Amino acid sequence: MATRTMQAARCPTDELSLTNCAVVSEKDLQSGQHVTVRTTPAHKFLFTVKCHHSVLPGTIAFSLPQRKWAGLSIGQEIEVANYNFDKSKQCIGAMTIEIDFLQKKSTDSSPYDSDNMAAEFIQHFNNQGFTVGQQLVFSFCDKLFGLVIKDIEAMDSSILKGEPESGKKQKIEIGLLVGNSQVIFEKSEGSSLTLVGKAKTKESRQSIINPDWNFEKMGIGGLDKEFSDIFRRAFASRVFPPDIVEQMGCKHVKGILLFGPPGCGKTLMARQIGKMLNAREPKIVNGPEILNKYVGESEANIRKLFADAEEEQKRLGANSGLHILIFDELDAICKQRGTAAGSTGVHDTVVNQLLSKIDGVEQLNNILVIGMTNRPDLIDDALMRPGRFEVKMEIGLPDENGRVQILNIHTAKMREFNLLSNDVDVKELAAETKNYSGAELEGLVRAAQSTAMNRHIKATSTVEVDMERAEKLQVTRSDFMGSLNNDIKPAFGTNQEDYSSYIMNGIIKWGDPVTRVLEDGELLVQQTKNSDRTPLVSVLLEGPPHSGKTALAAKISEDSQFPFIKICSPDKMIGFSEISKCQAIKKVFDDAYKSQLSCVVVDDIERLLDYVPIGPRFSNLVLQALLVLLKKTPPHGRKLLIIGTTSRKDVLQEMEMLDAFSTTIHVHNISSGEHLVEALELLGSFTDAERTTIAQNVKGKRVWIGIKKLLMLIEMSLQMDQAYRVSKFLTLLKEEGALDENNHIRI
């Protein structure tokens, strides 16, 4: 038949409209023929025809979905031409069809077997032509479904010739459905249809991971290992096709708990997990917002959070999408039950409600709850078991590589617009910023930027920007170094002022005893760094008062260059109760465990213990706390050096505390005239002639004085007139009992 003009008509019966055929009179065409219908010069549509006696010659009848697809109106004049398929190229190998209920009111939640559906579809529509984008109606199990053809792949021509497959896949716009075509059903977006079987949804086989995912773009640095661990535990099961997961009887992880020091990226990480997944926008909940003063309202707030996921699970079953709930400051609502004495018990019922929703009798399998806290010790134990917050991940301080990543992220914009000077070396900054958290590194970049901007502000009667020079604005290395030394200090780091105050006069190496202590200290530092067998090394520096034990401990810790150094000193705990003191000491140790390498100096232990010889009296609570902490091995991968100082070794011996230290080093007083003269020479306070006079007076005599006391006596003597300084110094030595004229041995 050459091209002829026909008139569009309505399909005579509902039964015929389910055949997906255009209906014609047998006088015009024969059943099974294929025709193209041209509505405008640019638009052509393919149909397979079927004859029926009720159709008038010269007309061609279409069902409603066909008219909708081709944009036809009844009575419209159209050009109809025969079409012949090239069976070597146009047979359908695989066809993907989007499916949904035809009428929304006829929806139901019973599962439909897509394999049976595909078999019936091929039987029903065999030898018909299909076009990408075509709409049709399909009846299955007495239900009507609306279908849209999404994608057609041509059959491999080698199969048609009886040869093995060549593996080439070719997309085509128009294809002929044959008996061995493969039909894949894909649930349309937002549909409540439940499909089971192998011919279902390519969508469920797609990765739930967003293809555009990139750590650097998301502004996350130094958390690669944590992300890969979370992925392995929480998302691997969600990437697999649901039918395999069903066969394994595998349940998805429903809860992740992120904990660690403030500013290390817990909230950032949780926020980005939502972006990383092809899931709904996460619901972010701040813990305190849940609580309400009215009875039952707090629990209702928890139920509302899970309502959408419950409704979708009931409607869609296994095909439900993933719902992410993010709880910030989880410890605000999930405290240990029964701990808040005198409270209304609201916390307890909120915890109960959350427990039953995450993993109660009616389980939800389409949720992922991410909790964040700085205080995992406060959270109720029942929430921490598998099935609830199953994956517990510490987001710790970033290591050097992590710091490089974070600094690169925060300086990327400056680098892009050439505002970062060439002398800024990110690797050098990362090496200098030991124990800085991600937030502190961001603060460092901000501080350097503000220093650079400040250079271009003219402080005249009004504050204004020097526009000529501002055009050449660049952030330099000196801006970063200035901010590093003055503006931003790490919360978990070394407090320079702390230990520099203990060694403000330097270390006076008056003889071998001092050198030996420093050498032994250096050995212990190396042991802590290098030995995997002894992650905890503790040493006690003991000796008489004023012998410089604290200064030596501070010097050893400073020379160690450990990223975390803290001095636990009694002067910071004046007036503390026993319990407060224990908590303060424990906090120092807890902070130390967060760093890879740490050094804690426990100064003046007998003062920490409130020891006095009258009685004798001491704090048993603090003693027991110290004994436990001195022996407690740090977490895996962390190393700790503890340096204790005491003037009362005998007391610690009685308290059985000496055994808690790995080793003990004795710090000597100056005990000979030669050593005293050596100390005076190093201090350089007296003239050569004065030192000669002092040397003659102390030569061969027994001396007994601590370096700290010696400094005090020297400074007192120097206040006198030059003529009397030496005699005053010698008098003070005798009065202090530091110089024995009779050369008696001091014990």
Side-chain angles (χ1 to χ4, degrees):
M1 175 186 90
T3 304
R4 57 182 290 182
T5 305
M6 297 181 81
Q7 213 172 38
R10 187 181 278 112
C11 190
T13 68
D14 287 347
E15 203 178 320
L16 283 169
S17 66
L18 294 175
T19 60
N20 189 38
C21 291
V23 189
V24 292
S25 165
E26 54 195 14
K27 291 181 182 171
D28 293 327
L29 292 158
Q30 288 165 11
S31 290
Q33 280 185 288
H34 311 291
V35 295
T36 56
V37 171
R38 192 188 288 276
T39 53
T40 68
H43 294 93
K44 206 159 65 167
F45 300 91
L46 176 86
F47 292 99
T48 304
V49 297
K50 191 177 184 73
C51 298
H52 195 264
H53 59 84
S54 62
V55 178
L56 296 170
T59 62
I60 180 165
F62 300 100
S63 65
L64 180 63
Q66 288 171 327
R67 294 202 303 275
K68 208 166 154 187
W69 170 52
L72 294 163
S73 55
I74 291 165
Q76 183 180 344
E77 303 252 312
I78 48 179
E79 285 182 17
V80 179
N82 266 4
Y83 183 86
N84 292 314
F85 278 99
D86 177 351
K87 292 198 176 173
S88 65
K89 293 178 185 168
Q90 288 185 296
C91 285
I92 295 174
M95 181 161 71
T96 307
I97 302 172
E98 198 174 83
I99 182 167
D100 194 4
F101 292 109
L102 186 65
Q103 293 170 313
K104 296 289 180 231
K105 63 184 178 193
S106 67
T107 58
D108 66 17
S109 57
S110 43
Y112 289 92
D113 190 323
S114 56
D115 300 325
N116 293 346
M117 205 180 260
E120 197 161 318
F121 183 90
I122 290 168
Q123 195 178 345
H124 203 66
F125 300 119
N126 199 9
N127 279 323
Q128 283 197 22
F130 286 94
T131 312
V132 173
Q134 184 176 342
Q135 298 175 18
L136 63 147
V137 179
F138 173 49
S139 172
F140 179 73
C141 292
D142 298 329
K143 274 266 192 248
L144 292 179
F145 297 94
L147 309 183
V148 180
I149 309 300
K150 294 293 283 180
D151 184 58
I152 301 176
E153 273 174 19
M155 192 174 283
D156 195 334
S157 54
S158 337
I159 299 174
L160 301 169
K161 297 171 192 163
E163 297 166 8
E165 279 189 69
S166 67
K168 288 180 189 167
K169 290 197 168 40
Q170 192 184 350
K171 302 268 189 206
I172 49 174
E173 283 296 308
I174 295 174
L176 181 70
L177 188 72
V178 291
N180 57 348
S181 299
Q182 185 193 358
V183 175
I184 299 156
F185 285 103
E186 187 178 295
K187 184 168 68 75
S188 65
E189 198 178 334
S191 169
S192 56
L193 177 66
T194 308
L195 290 176
V196 293
K198 288 200 171 51
K200 69 173 178 184
T201 120
K202 267 191 178 172
E203 167 208 49
S204 64
R205 290 166 190 271
Q206 286 171 355
S207 169
I208 61 159
I209 303 300
N210 215 329
D212 305 332
W213 173 251
N214 176 317
F215 282 120
E216 302 268 328
K217 274 189 203 160
M218 294 292 184
I220 296 177
L223 294 175
D224 305 22
K225 182 187 174 296
E226 287 82 352
F227 252 112
S228 62
D229 282 358
I230 286 178
F231 183 84
R232 177 177 61 82
R233 295 291 310 282
F235 302 127
S237 62
R238 295 180 191 273
V239 175
F240 260 76
D243 41 334
I244 298 177
V245 176
E246 280 167 33
Q247 287 162 17
M248 289 178 76
C250 171
K251 284 182 185 161
H252 303 307
V253 164
K254 295 178 196 162
I256 302 172
L257 182 71
L258 306 176
F259 65 93
C264 285
K266 296 183 294 298
T267 309
L268 174 68
M269 193 169 186
R271 207 182 296 133
Q272 304 305 0
I273 284 174
K275 287 186 187 168
M276 172 177 121
L277 300 176
N278 284 327
R280 282 160 190 71
E281 191 65 28
K283 288 183 185 172
I284 298 178
V285 191
N286 292 320
E289 288 174 6
I290 291 289
L291 302 176
N292 193 302
K293 65 181 178 179
Y294 295 109
V295 175
E297 281 298 311
S298 304
E299 296 87 314
N301 288 342
I302 294 276
R303 287 196 292 277
K304 278 178 203 159
L305 294 173
F306 290 89
D308 292 349
E310 277 181 331
E311 185 271 329
E312 192 169 313
Q313 174 131 327
K314 276 181 192 155
R315 201 159 42 83
L316 305 181
N319 290 317
S320 169
L322 180 63
H323 292 253
I324 300 175
L325 298 174
I326 296 173
F327 282 87
D328 207 357
E329 304 305 337
L330 187 70
D331 49 284
I333 55 167
C334 293
K335 286 192 176 72
Q336 292 274 0
R337 288 173 289 181
T339 52
S343 77
T344 55
V346 171
H347 275 108
D348 294 5
T349 51
V350 168
V351 174
N352 293 341
Q353 184 69 74
L354 196 57
L355 289 172
S356 64
K357 282 291 169 199
I358 298 177
D359 188 31
V361 177
E362 288 184 5
Q363 286 187 329
L364 290 171
N365 209 21
N366 60 344
I367 54 163
L368 180 64
V369 183
I370 303 170
M372 289 165 290
T373 179
N374 302 329
R375 299 290 308 276
D377 50 306
L378 294 180
I379 293 171
D380 194 272
D381 293 341
L383 272 165
M384 309 294 267
R385 72 153 175 79
R388 286 162 187 163
F389 286 107
E390 185 166 336
V391 179
K392 289 174 270 299
M393 184 65 59
E394 182 175 4
I395 308 297
L397 296 165
D399 58 9
E400 196 164 321
N401 285 338
R403 294 196 292 275
V404 169
Q405 284 180 18
I406 293 166
L407 286 164
N408 276 330
I409 286 163
H410 292 303
T411 55
K413 208 78 184 245
M414 291 193 284
R415 209 175 285 109
E416 186 186 332
F417 293 102
N418 200 26
L419 293 172
L420 194 67
S421 172
N422 292 332
D423 64 353
V424 176
D425 181 1
V426 169
K427 286 186 178 165
E428 181 199 7
L429 285 175
E432 290 289 325
T433 49
K434 294 188 181 91
N435 273 30
Y436 275 64
S437 68
E440 284 158 351
L441 290 169
E442 187 182 358
L444 174 70
V445 174
R446 265 202 306 271
Q449 288 166 339
S450 62
T451 310
M453 287 175 190
N454 202 43
R455 284 201 301 274
H456 299 286
I457 291 175
K458 289 189 284 191
T460 51
S461 53
T462 59
V463 176
E464 55 186 62
V465 177
D466 183 349
M467 286 312 289
E468 288 176 24
R469 290 174 60 207
E471 297 293 323
K472 298 169 189 164
L473 171 71
Q474 277 209 323
V475 183
T476 63
R477 179 180 179 275
S478 59
D479 295 328
F480 277 101
M481 289 305 168
S483 303
L484 201 60
N485 296 327
N486 306 318
D487 298 330
I488 308 291
K489 297 284 180 203
F492 300 97
T494 57
N495 194 341
Q496 209 93 29
E497 293 81 20
D498 242 17
Y499 56 75
S500 50
S501 66
Y502 291 109
I503 41 177
M504 58 186 179
N505 296 311
I507 297 293
I508 315 299
K509 296 181 183 173
W510 48 261
D512 284 348
V514 181
T515 316
R516 268 202 304 276
V517 172
L518 290 170
E519 283 172 355
D520 287 352
E522 173 60 23
L523 278 177
L524 292 164
V525 166
Q526 292 307 322
Q527 181 186 342
T528 311
K529 270 185 190 167
N530 304 326
S531 169
D532 291 328
R533 292 185 176 178
T534 52
L536 174 67
V537 176
S538 54
V539 56
L540 179 68
L541 301 184
E542 60 82 20
H546 311 305
S547 55
K549 299 179 294 298
T550 306
L552 285 165
K555 180 67 176 165
I556 292 166
S557 65
E558 186 188 32
D559 289 351
S560 72
Q561 294 285 302
F562 282 5
F564 181 96
I565 301 170
K566 269 281 189 300
I567 296 184
C568 179
S569 171
D571 61 6
K572 296 203 177 70
M573 301 182 200
I574 296 168
F576 278 26
S577 68
E578 284 187 293
I579 291 173
S580 304
K581 201 178 269 193
C582 288
Q583 286 171 339
I585 296 168
K586 184 175 183 295
K587 185 177 186 312
V588 170
F589 278 84
D590 283 347
D591 288 352
Y593 297 146
K594 288 170 183 161
S595 174
Q596 303 287 328
L597 273 174
S598 310
C599 177
V600 173
V601 177
V602 186
D603 191 28
D604 219 349
I605 293 174
E606 65 274 16
R607 287 290 72 75
L608 277 176
L609 296 174
D610 299 332
Y611 170 79
V612 281
I614 305 162
R617 286 181 50 207
F618 66 92
S619 164
N620 189 41
L621 258 179
V622 179
L623 171 65
Q624 298 305 329
L626 271 174
L627 284 172
V628 170
L629 291 168
L630 287 171
K631 292 178 180 176
K632 185 182 175 186
T633 311
H636 180 67
R638 313 284 160 89
K639 295 181 174 184
L640 175 62
L641 170 65
I642 303 170
I643 306 172
T645 71
T646 182
S647 306
R648 296 299 305 265
K649 181 184 176 185
D650 54 327
V651 172
L652 299 196
Q653 178 81 56
E654 279 181 46
M655 293 176 178
E656 297 181 348
M657 200 176 198
L658 285 188
D659 299 338
F661 287 94
S662 318
T663 183
T664 305
I665 298 175
H666 181 69
V667 179
H668 294 265
N669 264 351
I670 295 174
S671 56
S672 72
E674 287 75 15
H675 283 155
L676 179 66
V677 173
E678 179 74 17
L680 291 175
E681 201 169 313
L682 287 166
L683 286 162
S685 304
F686 292 110
T687 62
D688 289 353
E690 286 171 331
R691 278 205 302 278
T692 308
T693 311
I694 294 168
Q696 285 165 355
N697 277 279
V698 297
K699 192 175 180 185
K701 290 181 182 169
R702 179 71 57 185
V703 177
W704 187 259
I705 189 167
I707 187 72
K708 206 168 163 188
K709 177 68 81 174
L710 179 63
L711 269 168
M712 184 60 68
L713 299 186
I714 290 169
E715 290 303 312
M716 277 175 73
S717 312
L718 292 176
Q719 308 313 309
M720 303 285 290
D721 287 337
Q722 189 136 5
Y724 305 107
R725 290 199 314 200
V726 174
S727 57
K728 181 63 179 173
F729 175 66
L730 292 168
T731 309
L732 286 170
L733 276 179
K734 284 171 193 166
E735 284 173 357
E736 285 293 334
L739 183 63
D740 193 345
E741 293 282 8
N742 303 316
N743 215 6
H744 289 144
I745 296 171
R746 294 193 57 137
I747 298 171

